[in-house]
């Protein structure tokens, strides 16, 4: 669910072509069948209406950011739903290099990662998803070190 892609410089035609070519390359190497997973980033969810009707909306205790999608994934799984990943789909959930207030935005939200991790653990306990999420962040950290 994590593929590193060089940050966009703009939304120019050239940059859009670059992201399309990258997505095409990913699709050519990815298996052509869906698979069940334990968590999905909310940045690329497609939800069924009956899921929202059965378990409700995101838990507002996680406002303004972080861990709400993992909490929702656990609630969905407990209600009997499956989380399905389509490896043929590429979603760019990133930023643009010249996005001026990006650092201010990140600095503002950083504390909420840890605050909401505590809320998540109090609500759900130490689930396998926490272990999976920790491995995801460790991979992200290692990738930044290697650059």
């Amino acid at each position: 669910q994590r593929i590193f892609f060089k940050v966009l410089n703009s939304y120019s035609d050239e940059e859009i072509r670059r992201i399309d070519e990258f997505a095409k390359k990913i699709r050519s190497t990815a298996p052509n069948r869906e698979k069940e997973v334990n968590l999905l980033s909310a940045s690329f969810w497609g939800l069924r209406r009956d899921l929202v009707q059965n378990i409700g909306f995101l838990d507002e205790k996680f406002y303004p950011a972080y861990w709400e999608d993992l909490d929702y994934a656990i609630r969905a799984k407990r209600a009997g739903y499956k989380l399905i990943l389509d490896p043929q789909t590429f979603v760019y959930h990133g930023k643009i290099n010249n996005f001026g207030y990006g650092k201010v935005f990140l600095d503002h939200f950083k504390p909420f990662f840890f605050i909401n991790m505590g809320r998540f653990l109090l609500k759900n306990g130490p689930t396998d998803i926490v272990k999976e999420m920790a491995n995801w962040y460790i991979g992200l950290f290692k990738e930044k070190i290697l650059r």
Side-chain angles (χ1 to χ4, degrees):
Q1 296 184 51
R2 180 187 68 225
I3 298 170
F4 291 99
F5 175 76
K6 187 176 174 245
V7 174
L8 292 178
N9 293 311
S10 67
Y11 289 118
S12 68
D13 289 344
E14 180 182 336
E15 287 290 88
I16 298 302
R17 276 192 295 281
R18 184 170 68 85
I19 202 169
D20 284 344
E21 288 300 314
F22 186 82
K24 190 185 300 182
K25 186 172 20 171
I26 295 302
R27 281 192 298 276
S28 72
T29 62
N32 194 16
R33 70 183 122 80
E34 300 165 342
K35 66 179 186 175
E36 188 172 352
V37 294
N38 289 322
L39 59 98
L40 289 167
S41 172
S43 63
F44 52 88
W45 280 353
L47 301 177
R48 293 171 46 145
R49 178 189 309 239
D50 62 304
L51 170 69
V52 178
Q53 289 170 335
N54 287 334
I55 70 170
F57 297 107
L58 295 172
D59 186 339
E60 293 181 9
K61 289 184 198 116
F62 292 102
Y63 176 84
Y66 301 117
W67 296 88
E68 70 280 5
D69 48 357
L70 302 179
D71 176 68
Y72 204 80
I74 288 173
R75 289 168 44 207
K77 290 176 75 80
R78 286 179 180 158
Y81 291 89
K82 293 179 181 179
L83 304 177
I84 304 297
L85 173 72
D86 178 4
Q88 289 288 310
T89 301
F90 174 74
V91 176
Y92 178 69
H93 178 54
K95 62 179 183 176
I96 293 183
N97 265 340
N98 61 3
F99 198 55
Y101 68 89
K103 182 172 175 9
V104 173
F105 178 82
L106 288 175
D107 287 347
H108 172 73
F109 281 96
K110 235 182 267 181
F112 291 105
F113 177 84
F114 297 102
I115 292 167
N116 285 344
M117 182 191 328
R119 288 181 177 138
F120 178 89
L121 290 169
L122 286 171
K123 180 177 179 181
N124 297 295
T127 68
D128 287 343
I129 287 181
V130 173
K131 185 176 176 183
E132 204 168 320
M133 188 69 178
N135 286 332
W136 189 90
Y137 275 104
I138 289 168
L140 196 63
F141 182 68
K142 284 180 182 176
E143 179 67 23
K144 286 186 179 188
I145 289 173
L146 297 174
R147 285 186 191 173

